[in-house]
C-alpha cells in the first residue's frame, strides 16, 4: 500500500522553503500542504489533513527553536518534526533531538538524506499494527490515603517475582506519583519524556524509558514535577498502553484517587479489570459507589469494575455484607490490615512482598496476584478466611 505523505513547512527563509519544495516535488505521493512562518504570521497547518511530517528551520533569524518544537509537539503530537539547521555543534544537535525532533539536517540540504527520512516515516505509517497480548489491571482509590499505590506496587512486584513473563508498573498519578519513592529509584526518564518524543514512540523507546527494579518489574514513572504533566493527553496514554500490552504479559497501573479524566479513561478502557479500592470507612464506601457510577456513565463496562477492600479487619463495622449491600456489588478481594509491615516497607523503599514475604499481608498479595493470573484456582476465596477456615 502506497501512502500519500503530507508535509508542512514551518520555514522563515524563502530560499530554504523553495529548496525543500524542489526536493519533495521529486518524490512520488508527497504533498506540501502549506508553507507558514514559525510565528504563524503566514498561516497555520491545515487541520483537516493528516500531518505526517512538519519541517522547521533552526537559524538565528527564525527565533528560538525549542519553544517552536514544544508548541508543535503539543499541537501535532503524532507528527515527526524535521529540523534544518546551520549550527553543527554536537551539543546543540543533542538538545534539539531531546526536545523532540525526529530528524536533524544541515543546510545546504542533502536531498538523498531528506528523501530517505521521508520514506522512513511513510513505512512507519503503513506498517500493520500488532495485536495486544498482555493483561492490564488498574487501581484507583475512592479517596486519598487508602493505600492504592502500595497495593499496585506490591501486586506488580509479586507478579514479577513469580512469573517468567515481563511485568510493567505504570504510575498514572501524574501530578503526585509516589511509586518511585516506594521503590527507592530515581528515574532518568518519565512519561513526560515520552510525551516529548511521542512522534517516534515505539517498543524500543518505551522500554528504554522504563526502570528495571530488583524485583524484576519495569517501572514507567510519573513526571518529576506536577507542571510536566500538563501536556500529557489521552492520545499519548492510549499509545503507551497499547505498546505496553504488546511488550509485557502483565501491566499494573496506579491511577489518581477519584479522578476520571480523559487520560485515566484511556487506562480504564485498556484494562481487563479496574480495581476500585476502599476501606471500612463510610466516606470511602460512599465515594466508591459514586466513582463506579461515574465510570459507567463514561462508558466503562460494569463487568470490568471490581471492588477491593484494604485494611480489612474481621468483626469491624460496617461488615462485608453491609459494604456489598451499599455498593450493590460483591467484593472481589480483601487485603488485611498490617500497618507496621507496610510502613517499614515504604520507609525502606522495598516492596513488602520482597522485604517481608512471610507476613500475612505479603502472602495475601501473592494470592491476589495468583488470582489475576488464574481466576478459577482461588474459587470463592477472597483473601480472608472466616470460621473453620472457610472463605468469607
Amino acid at each position: 500500500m502506497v501512502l500519500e505523505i503530507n508535509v508542512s513547512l514551518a520555514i522563515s527563509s524563502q530560499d530554504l522553503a523553495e529548496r525543500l519544495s524542489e526536493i519533495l516535488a521529486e518524490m512520488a505521493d508527497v504533498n506540501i500542504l502549506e508553507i507558514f512562518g514559525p510565528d504563524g504570521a503566514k498561516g497555520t497547518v491545515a487541520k483537516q489533513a493528516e500531518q505526517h511530517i512538519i519541517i522547521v528551520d533552526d537559524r538565528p533569524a527564525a527565533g528560538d527553536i525549542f519553544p517552536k518544537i514544544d508548541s508543535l509537539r503539543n499541537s501535532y503530537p503524532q507528527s515527526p518534526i524535521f529540523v534544518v539547521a546551520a549550527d553543527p555543534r554536537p551539543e546543540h544537535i543533542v538538545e534539539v533531538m531531546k526536545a523532540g525532533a525526529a530528524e536533524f539536517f544541515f543546510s545546504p540540504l542533502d536531498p538523498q538524506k531528506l528523501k530517505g527520512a521521508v520514506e522512513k516515516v511513510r513505512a512507519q505509517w503503513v506498517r500493520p499494527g500488532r495485536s495486544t497480548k498482555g493483561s492490564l489491571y488498574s487501581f484507583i482509590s475512592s479517596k486519598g490515603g487508602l493505600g492504592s499505590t502500595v497495593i499496585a506496587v506490591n501486586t506488580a512486584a509479586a507478579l514479577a517475582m513469580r512469573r517468567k513473563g515481563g511485568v510493567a508498573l505504570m504510575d498514572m498519578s501524574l501530578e503526585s506519583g509516589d511509586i518511585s519513592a516506594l521503590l527507592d529509584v530515581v528515574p532518568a526518564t518519565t512519561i513526560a519524556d515520552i510525551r516529548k518524543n511521542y512522534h517516534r514512540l515505539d517498543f524500543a523507546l518505551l522500554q528504554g524509558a522504563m526502570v528495571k527494579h530488583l524485583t524484576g518489574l519495569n517501572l514507567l514513572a510519573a513526571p518529576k514535577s506536577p507542571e510536566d504533566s500538563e501536556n500529557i493527553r489521552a492520545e499519548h496514554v492510549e499509545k503507551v498502553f497499547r505498546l505496553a500490552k504488546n511488550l509485557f504479559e502483565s501491566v499494573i497501573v496506579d491511577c489518581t484517587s477519584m479522578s476520571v479524566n480523559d487520560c485515566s479513561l484511556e487506562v480504564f478502557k485498556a484494562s481487563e479489570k479496574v480495581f476500585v479500592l476502599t476501606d471500612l470507612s463510610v466516606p470511602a464506601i460512599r465515594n466508591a459507589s459514586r466513582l463506579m457510577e461515574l465510570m459507567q456513565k463514561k462508558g466503562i463496562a460494569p463487568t470490568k469494575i471490581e471492588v477491593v477492600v484494604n485494611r480489612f479487619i474481621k468483626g469491624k463495622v460496617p461488615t462485608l455484607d453491609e459494604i456489598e449491600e451499599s455498593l450493590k456489588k460483591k467484593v472481589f478481594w480483601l487485603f488485611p490490615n498490617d500497618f507496621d509491615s507496610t510502613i517499614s516497607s515504604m520507609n525502606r523503599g522495598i516492596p513488602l512482598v520482597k522485604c517481608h514475604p512471610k507476613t500475612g499481608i505479603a502472602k495475601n498479595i501473592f494470592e491476589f496476584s495468583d488470582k489475576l493470573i488464574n481466576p478459577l484456582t482461588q474459587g470463592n476465596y477472597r483473601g480472608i478466611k472466616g470460621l473453620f477456615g472457610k472463605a468469607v
Side-chain angles (χ1 to χ4, degrees):
M1 169 179 154
V2 176
L3 174 73
E4 288 192 353
I5 290 288
N6 298 325
V7 180
S8 292
L9 306 181
I11 304 296
S12 60
S13 164
Q14 183 175 349
D15 290 342
L16 179 58
E18 290 177 353
R19 179 57 180 149
L20 284 164
S21 299
E22 289 174 3
I23 296 171
L24 295 171
E26 297 172 0
M27 302 182 67
D29 300 300
V30 173
N31 305 316
I32 300 176
L33 297 182
E34 191 169 359
I35 299 175
F36 63 102
D39 58 356
K42 298 180 182 179
T44 57
V45 182
K47 284 281 188 179
Q48 68 273 16
E50 188 76 67
Q51 300 301 307
H52 296 120
I53 299 170
I54 300 175
I55 304 180
V56 300
D57 59 337
D58 176 21
R59 301 177 305 109
D64 192 346
I65 186 65
F66 298 107
K68 191 188 308 183
I69 292 176
D70 192 56
S71 176
L72 290 170
R73 282 270 55 77
N74 291 333
S75 299
Y76 309 98
Q78 297 189 62
S79 305
I81 295 175
F82 291 4
V83 175
V84 182
D87 188 346
R89 293 175 299 151
E91 60 270 22
H92 181 69
I93 299 172
V94 170
E95 289 302 315
V96 170
M97 298 299 283
K98 285 174 64 177
E103 298 286 350
F104 193 97
F105 303 95
F106 292 117
S107 184
L109 284 165
D110 182 327
Q112 295 308 313
K113 287 185 178 180
L114 176 62
K115 292 177 181 179
V118 171
E119 290 300 342
K120 180 180 176 182
V121 172
R122 192 199 305 269
Q124 290 172 344
W125 278 87
V126 301
R127 184 179 300 137
R130 293 173 56 183
S131 59
T132 59
K133 65 170 185 176
S135 298
L136 190 150
Y137 305 98
S138 53
F139 293 80
I140 180 170
S141 61
S142 59
K143 71 183 191 69
L146 296 186
S148 172
T149 303
V150 171
I151 297 299
V153 166
N154 280 278
T155 298
L159 286 168
M161 291 166 65
R162 286 196 169 180
R163 300 191 72 178
K164 293 182 179 179
V167 176
L169 175 61
M170 310 288 206
D171 195 342
M172 281 297 295
S173 187
L174 298 176
E175 294 185 354
S176 58
D178 292 326
I179 290 180
S180 297
L182 292 186
L183 294 177
D184 192 26
V185 296
V186 181
T189 53
T190 73
I191 191 172
D193 299 291
I194 285 181
R195 192 277 303 175
K196 291 179 181 178
N197 293 277
Y198 176 76
H199 57 287
R200 57 178 193 232
L201 175 58
D202 56 14
F203 298 106
L205 180 62
L206 176 59
Q207 201 155 28
M210 304 180 84
V211 178
K212 186 79 169 183
H213 188 256
L214 58 88
T215 57
L217 66 82
N218 299 268
L219 169 66
L220 180 63
K224 295 177 182 178
S225 58
E227 57 267 25
D228 289 339
S229 68
E230 293 176 356
N231 293 318
I232 297 174
R233 299 179 181 175
E235 59 214 67
H236 305 141
V237 173
E238 186 277 333
K239 187 171 183 180
V240 165
F241 287 102
R242 176 158 43 86
L243 291 174
K245 290 173 70 175
N246 276 277
L247 273 174
F248 303 98
E249 289 190 15
S250 300
V251 181
I252 305 297
V253 188
D254 182 40
C255 300
T256 304
S257 303
M258 283 298 292
S259 178
V260 180
N261 54 34
D262 290 344
C263 288
S264 61
L265 278 173
E266 289 299 331
V267 178
F268 301 150
K269 289 175 186 176
S271 299
E272 186 168 322
K273 291 291 183 183
V274 180
F275 293 110
V276 175
L277 186 139
T278 183
D279 63 7
L280 297 177
S281 68
V282 172
I285 295 168
R286 176 176 174 271
N287 281 355
S289 178
R290 297 169 60 198
L291 180 59
M292 290 190 294
E293 183 180 350
L294 176 59
M295 284 194 288
Q296 290 176 47
K297 286 181 179 178
K298 294 290 186 177
I300 306 303
T303 53
K304 272 192 177 186
I305 304 171
E306 300 287 0
V307 177
V308 294
V309 178
N310 196 22
R311 302 167 187 160
F312 180 78
I313 302 174
K314 288 183 289 185
K316 292 291 183 178
V317 177
T319 65
L320 183 57
D321 289 340
E322 289 171 334
I323 294 172
E324 291 178 334
E325 182 179 353
S326 176
L327 297 176
K328 298 179 176 58
K329 191 174 184 69
K330 189 175 180 65
V331 171
F332 182 88
W333 196 263
L334 305 166
F335 296 100
N337 186 41
D338 189 339
F339 179 82
D340 291 341
S341 296
T342 302
I343 290 298
S344 170
S345 160
M346 293 170 64
N347 290 339
R348 292 175 62 183
I350 305 173
L352 59 87
V353 294
K354 180 72 173 178
C355 64
H356 299 299
K358 295 183 179 180
T359 59
I361 188 169
K363 292 178 180 178
N364 175 282
I365 292 173
F366 277 119
E367 291 170 338
F368 175 69
S369 68
D370 290 340
K371 186 166 184 174
L372 297 186
I373 302 169
N374 301 301
L376 299 179
T377 59
Q378 298 284 356
N380 294 326
Y381 180 61
R382 297 186 285 175
I384 302 290
K385 292 181 179 179
L387 192 62
F388 306 118
K390 293 183 178 180
V392 297

